[in-house]
Amino acid sequence: CIVRATLAIEKETPENERPETFLRSGDDPHSSVAASTTSVRARFERMIREAQDVVCAAVEAEDGAGKFTEDVWSRDGGGGGISRVLQDGEVWEKAGVNVSVVYGVMPPEAYRAAKGGDSSQNPGSVPFFAAGISSVLHPKNPFAPTLHFNYRYFETDTIKDSPGAPRQWWFGGGTDLTPAYIFEEDMKHFHQIQKQTCDKFDPRFYPRFKKWCDDYFFIKHRGERRGLGGIFFDDLNDYDQEMLLSFATECSKSVVPAYIPIISRRKETPFTDQHKAWQQLRRGRYVEFNLVYDRGTTFGIKTGGRIESILVSLPLTARWEYGHEPEEGSEEWKLLDACINPREWI
Amino acid sequence: CIVRATLAIEKETPENERPETFLRSGDDPHSSVAASTTSVRARFERMIREAQDVVCAAVEAEDGAGKFTEDVWSRDGGGGGISRVLQDGEVWEKAGVNVSVVYGVMPPEAYRAAKGGDSSQNPGSVPFFAAGISSVLHPKNPFAPTLHFNYRYFETDTIKDSPGAPRQWWFGGGTDLTPAYIFEEDMKHFHQIQKQTCDKFDPRFYPRFKKWCDDYFFIKHRGERRGLGGIFFDDLNDYDQEMLLSFATECSKSVVPAYIPIISRRKETPFTDQHKAWQQLRRGRYVEFNLVYDRGTTFGIKTGGRIESILVSLPLTARWEYGHEPEEGSEEWKLLDACINPREWI
């Protein structure tokens, strides 16, 4: 496209076909481990690609009309991704399910954004590997909640000319729900599934990751959370690596049973213009969180990532009214109250 | 309001009446200059409050139906402000014109955000004074452009226990136009008035501040500007202080003649749903710029400023479509091209 030819950032190249893998074979100069088919990198890639297929199939089936379109892209620097978007379906107005597998050498500011560390750390350029699945599903009906989930795996390699520097790995991710109206049974169902999944691995996971989620999705300048939570964890490496890979896999598999039954119940509920306007205001808060605080978004923006894939998380439409305050005791007020004062749902 | 009682940030107190001045009289412990009626602080406050009255009156007259509502607030820390908002008028869907006059002791991170300096500077807490007028006017008609203007004056005082530290002052501001469609005569008219105002002071001002505007309103992750520019300057203190006060005054006075004639010409132009959808997409870019890059917004968020006043700059509604690209040669494409490759309009 001529218009965009002046862009100076590193560009993604569109591809016509999905590759079998985005990993380089054996001789990856940036990796100290062989990219074998049994490496954590390779197994994580297969996991997120399967999860993408499963979630997209479930969304299409529940929508009944909309279909995902797919963009495959590669980066000269290394790796690539598959972006799938369903726009203007019957049930969802915008649904994005992306996987990406990228590696290369990370500028120091991107490393800091990824690590979330303070700026006093100045590690220089660091070879890295990052793979993840990221999805935001925005339904049309204001009684049907937005879902977000994201599971990612991150490695840094030994720094060149610093052979003693350690190789590090982390897992991160979570699944959280953002309704405009509270249905107790939906919230209970959603959180129950998160807890069941967590409990398979460690009884301390759900309380820890539920609170982490409430803390993470905090819109500081509003004093309220984006939504009603779920689970969230980041920079996790203080457990067995195989256990965490298995945990991320189970979390990804729980997305469909946690979410789709709620959509089935709510997708055809009649609503008024006032319900829709409130949903739009809450979507404004969604935009505020993602652009101001979300680490994935800020990381993507700083690394010059594929901007359409990064910002597919934003809703189709959003609204900002000056000084809007819901009437005390109203359904809107109850939602806002739960965003300000997180509740236990189970 | 009970719901918000859990907020921990410093709160503004609503006031029933506009005070004659937000400045403290004589004995301001944070100021090394008496807050006399002839001080730059006092004259700048009078200027922005007059500008607020003039712009609001002109907008109401042109709108014909909508009226501004006013919120007056004070801060325990010092100072206060007057927020005026017109929502859902005949011509404008959201118009905010705010003045604020605040002072106190600034946390280091806010000082860095205000100064835009790198994080290696670590000045500790700094007594400050900041006054400004800030306005964003979003019309309904997609052929009628959004206007933003902002003029501000900033002082830091000697740091306590560092009597040798210098008192510093800066002016900042600008006026810029964000259309969804280009009308050459509108752009020429708007930039001509900016140039005339600049030329009264220094023939180098317009080219310098026009370029500064194009550079400032750059949405880096998109490779495009928010709109079609105007003038912008920041941290300006390398000219005579009286001259810059006079320049900011003239710039504020030029807002009505630069903008209102354009609105008169465009406010009743018939439009289609497609025109409206394109305007909404451009408003999405407006949101992206303001939340990710705008110094005033990030400064306001970091200092725990009055969030409704800060975010009144956001449009009533905005839109994000995945992978939208206007057809080459279309009117939408021409606008985007001018956002990517800034033009000279006069």
Side-chain angles (χ1 to χ4, degrees), chain A residues 163-273:
Chain A
R167 196 171 71 84
Q168 291 183 279
W169 56 261
W170 302 269
F171 287 91
T175 304
D176 63 283
L177 204 66
T178 304
Y181 291 95
I182 298 177
F183 293 90
E184 299 281 337
E185 67 169 317
D186 294 353
M187 293 312 302
K188 195 164 176 158
H189 167 81
F190 179 78
H191 276 268
Q192 191 66 53
I193 295 222
Q194 305 313 314
K195 182 174 185 304
Q196 280 166 13
T197 308
C198 288
D199 285 353
K200 287 183 195 172
F201 296 87
D202 191 321
R204 292 165 300 184
F205 273 9
Y206 177 74
R208 183 179 175 203
F209 299 155
K210 193 271 184 194
K211 180 175 186 309
W212 202 336
C213 190
D214 289 334
D215 292 344
Y216 177 75
F217 290 103
F218 186 59
I219 306 169
K220 192 180 171 196
H221 61 268
R222 297 283 189 182
E224 66 192 43
R225 277 141 208 88
R226 180 177 86 171
L228 300 186
I231 58 169
F232 182 85
F233 55 92
D234 207 356
D235 293 342
L236 215 60
N237 64 2
D238 51 353
Y239 295 91
D240 179 74
Q241 194 180 17
E242 285 296 328
M243 191 266 257
L244 289 177
L245 174 60
S246 179
F247 177 54
T249 305
E250 288 298 305
C251 288
S252 297
K253 284 185 180 165
S254 80
V255 165
V256 169
Y259 180 55
I260 297 293
I262 296 174
I263 296 299
S264 296
R265 283 201 288 271
R266 308 299 164 203
K267 67 183 181 183
E268 288 171 349
T269 311
F271 60 86
T272 66
D273 288 350

Side-chain angles (χ1 to χ4, degrees), chain B residues 15 18-24 45 49 72-74 78-82 99-101 103:
Chain B
E15 301 286 345
R18 290 191 292 272
E20 183 73 19
T21 174
F22 288 104
L23 297 172
R24 288 202 195 99
E45 184 195 10
R49 290 183 61 172
V72 182
W73 50 273
S74 65
I82 303 168
V99 299
S100 64
V101 178
Y103 36 85

Side-chain angles (χ1 to χ4, degrees), chain A residues 3 71 308 316 320 322-323 333, chain B residues 3 71 308 316 320 322-323 333:
Chain A
V3 175
D71 286 318
E308 287 295 329
L316 184 67
W320 286 268
Y322 175 80
W333 182 90
Chain B
V3 176
D71 286 317
E308 286 296 328
L316 184 66
W320 285 268
Y322 175 81
W333 183 91

Side-chain angles (χ1 to χ4, degrees), chain B residues 131-158:
Chain B
I133 183 167
S134 178
S135 174
V136 179
L137 311 172
H138 292 291
K140 292 179 171 176
N141 193 302
F143 299 114
T146 290
L147 182 89
H148 162 252
F149 77 94
N150 166 233
Y151 291 94
R152 56 193 177 274
Y153 175 67
F154 191 78
E155 280 183 13
T156 52
D157 267 349
T158 47

Side-chain angles (χ1 to χ4, degrees), chain A residues 1-4 6-7 9 69-71 83-85 87 94 98 119 218 220-224 280 284-285 287-288 291-293 301-302 305-309 311-312 314-326 328 333 336-337 340-341, chain B residues 1-4 6-7 9 69-71 83-85 87 94 98 119 218 220-224 280 284-285 287-288 291-293 301-302 305-309 311-312 314-326 328 333 336-337 340-341:
Chain A
C1 166
I2 290 170
V3 175
R4 302 247 166 213
T6 54
L7 274 176
I9 57 172
T69 57
E70 180 177 276
D71 286 318
S83 296
R84 291 192 189 148
V85 182
Q87 288 195 112
K94 197 172 172 192
N98 300 335
S119 53
F218 186 59
K220 192 180 171 196
H221 61 268
R222 297 283 189 182
E224 66 192 43
Q280 294 294 296
R285 300 292 205 272
V287 171
E288 288 178 30
L291 292 180
V292 177
Y293 300 104
I301 285 174
K302 284 190 190 187
R306 186 174 187 269
I307 203 66
E308 287 295 329
S309 299
L311 296 185
V312 73
L314 300 181
L316 184 67
T317 54
R319 182 178 179 89
W320 286 268
E321 280 180 35
Y322 175 80
H324 184 279
E325 301 229 9
E328 194 162 333
W333 182 90
L336 184 56
D337 187 47
I340 294 172
N341 305 295
Chain B
C1 166
I2 291 170
V3 176
R4 302 249 167 212
T6 54
L7 275 175
I9 58 172
T69 56
E70 181 176 278
D71 286 317
S83 295
R84 290 190 190 151
V85 181
Q87 288 194 112
K94 196 170 171 193
N98 300 335
S119 54
F218 186 58
K220 192 181 171 195
H221 60 268
R222 296 282 190 183
E224 64 191 46
Q280 294 293 296
R285 301 293 206 271
V287 171
E288 288 178 32
L291 291 180
V292 178
Y293 301 103
I301 285 174
K302 285 190 190 187
R306 187 175 185 271
I307 203 67
E308 286 296 328
S309 300
L311 296 186
V312 72
L314 300 182
L316 184 66
T317 53
R319 182 178 180 90
W320 285 268
E321 279 178 38
Y322 175 81
H324 184 280
E325 300 230 10
E328 194 161 333
W333 183 91
L336 184 56
D337 187 47
I340 294 171
N341 306 295

Side-chain angles (χ1 to χ4, degrees), chain B residues 32-91:
Chain B
S32 58
V33 290
S36 73
T37 57
T38 56
S39 68
V40 174
R41 295 179 178 204
R43 287 152 66 204
F44 193 83
E45 184 195 10
R46 283 200 297 279
M47 185 279 274
I48 59 179
R49 290 183 61 172
E50 276 176 36
Q52 185 183 39
D53 290 343
V54 168
V55 170
C56 289
V59 166
E60 283 189 355
E62 186 66 28
D63 192 273
K67 296 289 170 197
F68 281 93
T69 56
E70 181 176 278
D71 286 317
V72 182
W73 50 273
S74 65
R75 267 168 46 124
D76 293 345
I82 303 168
S83 295
R84 290 190 190 151
V85 181
L86 182 158
Q87 288 194 112
D88 198 23
E90 184 68 23
V91 174

